[in-house]
Amino acid sequence: MPSLELELRPDTNVIDLLGSSAPMVVQGTVELRLLIPVYVLNISVELNGFVHSMTSNESFNDQSKGLLILADSPHQLPCVHRIARKALCKIKGFKEFTQVLAHHRIVVLQSSQPCLMEPGVYTWPFEFTVEDSHLLPPTLSLPHHAVRYWLSANLTPGSLQERLKISYNNVHQRMTQRAAVAYRRLSHSSSLSEEDGLPDSPSPHYTPLPPTHHEHHLLSTSQSLCVRQYIYTSYHALTQAPRTRYRGVRQGSLRYEICLPGNAYVGRKEYNFHCEFYPLRPDLVVDEITACVEQIESYSLQEGQVVSEHALTEQNKVLHTQRYSHTLYKVKPSDRQSHIALFVPLNTPLVYQHVASTALQIQHQLRLVIRFCASVHERKMTLSFPLLIGTFPMSGLYCTRLHQHTLLASNEMDDADWLPSYSDALSEGTPPCEFYDDI
């Protein structure tokens, strides 16, 4: 055991936010264990959140490419690793940008003069309150960006002499422990027990542990926090989401109607929807339909503090669109074109939830490509419809849906399935979702 050790003990490592404007509260205690008397000037606790984004001339089709760079926060890496990381980014042609989401600091122990602390265990409570928590993106890891939240505690010794004394005692204690282990190895031919902590060779019961989220240094310690933003407050609220229908027409060729349920969520095996096609020509027949999910990621190129009141402009943001979950459906002669059931899977790890923060925005579209029989010489038709992919907590009792764009009053819920006639819809001008043709 080191002569000085700091330990963070938050009340929870997972923070659930339900999309409201209520502040995010992080509280807990910081513990200091001393084996020797130490003069301490102050002890502080910090809460930090960062968005790390990158751009590249290459598209990230492999998730591991991005995670190689964004797996850890650069502010948590040693200096040598940060230099190597920047060199790797330059060689690979990556440009990395960092934005500050949260930076809060409180001092739990403050003294104008160094105070002597005797050996023992000391604890201090801490509490952070972050306003506008609904603007914070959740913790995530994607090829182009990662969001991390960290708690850290730092101790400032009373003088340089105190720092050297703590370092010397730690080194002496470590060398004494290693010498004792080496002596037991020489004294006993059998393998070491679990108490020794240093096995002779790897065994089926000894496997390397994954990188820990707790980092301890000489005078500081840090711990990661997982922030989860929920669009729905429960699965019941998700099932009550109304469906949306879109109507449009290709003049002289085809009328269509697409019905999209509002129950899309991350990890769903199949998101089911149906299409209706009404040819305006007797020889026009739909041959096949390709469906996929487009994920549109918008993030800033400017470093520094994120200002929640200012939205990203076209000059200082990057748009990256990726398509996932491709499905191809061949229309059979026995199928009724007036009702074709389709689906796209949403259980791929690259499809993330809807994010509407200042620093990072993730939106989705359902993209349909309709091809016709070659005999009619009709160009393919491409349609895109907005799709809200949400998340919900695994537990919850009585709740309602919170997302502002889909919140309906009770009288609107009664008329959710009502649709005007085709002539009424077409006389209104532009369809709800415009179609366009690929050339």
Side-chain angles (χ1 to χ4, degrees):
M1 180 179 178
S3 57
L4 183 151
E5 186 174 5
L6 274 174
E7 187 74 27
L8 279 169
R9 300 184 184 277
D11 291 349
T12 178
N13 293 331
V14 179
I15 302 175
D16 294 334
L17 303 176
L18 297 178
S20 63
S21 57
M24 179 179 72
V25 178
V26 181
Q27 56 187 4
T29 58
V30 56
E31 183 179 283
L32 173 63
R33 292 189 290 270
L34 294 176
L35 297 182
I36 59 173
V38 175
Y39 282 92
V40 178
L41 189 60
N42 65 63
I43 298 177
S44 61
V45 182
E46 292 185 2
L47 171 64
N48 295 293
F50 302 94
V51 175
H52 308 291
S53 304
M54 65 168 54
T55 59
S56 173
N57 295 329
E58 301 178 359
S59 62
F60 290 123
N61 294 323
D62 184 6
Q63 187 183 18
S64 61
K65 289 186 179 181
L67 295 183
L68 175 65
I69 304 297
L70 297 176
D72 297 300
S73 168
H75 299 270
Q76 301 293 330
L77 294 175
C79 180
V80 176
H81 291 182
R82 289 199 298 268
I83 295 175
R85 176 168 165 153
K86 289 183 179 180
L88 180 60
C89 287
K90 189 172 183 179
I91 294 173
K92 295 289 187 179
F94 301 146
K95 293 182 180 179
E96 187 177 4
F97 304 90
T98 302
Q99 285 194 342
V100 180
L101 292 173
H103 179 68
H104 301 271
R105 181 178 183 269
I106 59 175
V107 179
V108 296
L109 176 64
Q110 180 69 55
S111 177
S112 58
Q113 297 292 331
C115 61
L116 178 62
M117 304 191 70
E118 299 293 339
V121 179
Y122 304 85
T123 58
W124 297 270
F126 65 86
E127 180 175 333
F128 294 99
T129 302
V130 182
E131 301 293 338
D132 298 328
S133 61
H134 62 287
L135 299 177
L136 295 177
T139 302
L140 60 88
S141 294
L142 288 176
H144 274 266
H145 33 250
V147 178
R148 296 286 184 268
Y149 296 91
W150 290 87
L151 274 176
S152 60
N154 300 276
L155 182 144
T156 303
S159 63
L160 177 61
Q161 182 180 1
E162 287 295 313
R163 182 183 292 268
L164 295 176
K165 181 181 74 173
I166 297 171
S167 301
Y168 171 78
N169 279 276
N170 282 347
V171 173
H172 181 267
Q173 195 125 8
R174 193 180 304 116
M175 295 301 296
T176 302
Q177 182 181 7
R178 290 182 178 179
V181 172
Y183 176 78
R184 289 197 298 271
R185 278 187 170 181
L186 294 174
S187 302
H188 305 282
S189 58
S190 59
S191 61
L192 296 177
S193 63
E194 294 181 358
E195 298 178 355
D196 295 327
L198 295 174
D200 292 321
S201 59
S203 65
H205 302 286
Y206 176 78
T207 56
L209 295 177
T212 178
H213 292 283
H214 301 263
E215 298 182 4
H216 297 276
H217 301 285
L218 179 62
L219 300 174
S220 64
T221 182
S222 61
Q223 183 174 342
S224 63
L225 295 176
C226 178
V227 176
R228 300 186 297 199
Q229 280 275 15
Y230 295 114
I231 297 178
Y232 307 95
T233 54
S234 72
Y235 181 75
H236 175 72
L238 174 68
T239 58
Q240 299 301 314
R243 56 182 178 175
T244 306
R245 296 187 184 184
Y246 298 91
R247 285 176 171 175
V249 63
R250 172 180 281 187
Q251 293 295 338
S253 297
L254 182 74
R255 295 185 303 193
Y256 65 85
E257 178 179 310
I258 311 297
C259 181
L260 302 182
N263 55 359
Y265 59 89
V266 174
R268 181 165 187 170
K269 187 176 180 181
E270 293 183 0
Y271 172 71
N272 299 278
F273 60 98
H274 74 265
C275 308
E276 299 178 14
F277 299 103
Y278 302 94
L280 302 179
R281 292 159 34 194
D283 60 336
L284 190 66
V285 178
V286 177
D287 182 45
E288 64 180 25
I289 304 172
T290 302
C292 68
V293 176
E294 287 186 333
Q295 183 165 276
I296 305 170
E297 305 161 5
S298 306
Y299 49 99
S300 176
L301 285 179
Q302 295 182 351
E303 294 185 311
Q305 180 72 38
V306 175
V307 181
S308 58
E309 293 82 5
H310 297 166
L312 297 179
T313 62
E314 296 296 332
Q315 291 75 19
N316 62 2
K317 74 175 180 180
V318 172
L319 291 178
H320 178 75
T321 303
Q322 196 68 267
R323 294 171 184 168
Y324 304 110
S325 306
H326 290 78
T327 57
L328 175 63
Y329 182 79
K330 294 286 292 184
V331 180
K332 306 179 184 65
S334 58
D335 292 337
R336 290 189 303 122
Q337 296 194 46
S338 59
H339 187 89
I340 299 178
L342 302 173
F343 76 92
V344 289
L346 298 179
N347 55 355
T348 170
L350 294 179
V351 173
Y352 205 71
Q353 71 179 82
H354 177 87
V355 177
S357 64
T358 303
L360 175 64
Q361 299 175 5
I362 300 179
Q363 299 175 336
H364 301 86
Q365 291 185 152
L366 178 65
R367 177 183 172 91
L368 300 178
V369 180
I370 298 98
R371 293 179 172 83
F372 305 94
C373 292
S375 58
V376 299
H377 302 289
E378 183 76 18
R379 290 181 304 169
K380 66 180 180 180
M381 186 167 61
T382 306
L383 307 173
S384 294
F385 306 95
L387 185 64
L388 177 64
I389 300 180
T391 53
F392 59 91
M394 299 305 295
S395 61
L397 297 177
Y398 307 104
C399 43
T400 57
R401 191 178 181 183
L402 295 178
H403 197 273
Q404 56 181 352
H405 298 296
T406 52
L407 187 62
L408 297 180
S410 58
N411 58 342
E412 294 175 329
M413 288 290 292
D414 296 335
D415 298 333
D417 292 334
W418 177 84
L419 285 172
S421 64
Y422 274 111
S423 58
D424 293 336
L426 295 179
S427 63
E428 295 173 358
T430 305
C433 184
E434 299 180 8
F435 67 86
Y436 57 92
D437 297 334
D438 291 339
I439 299 177

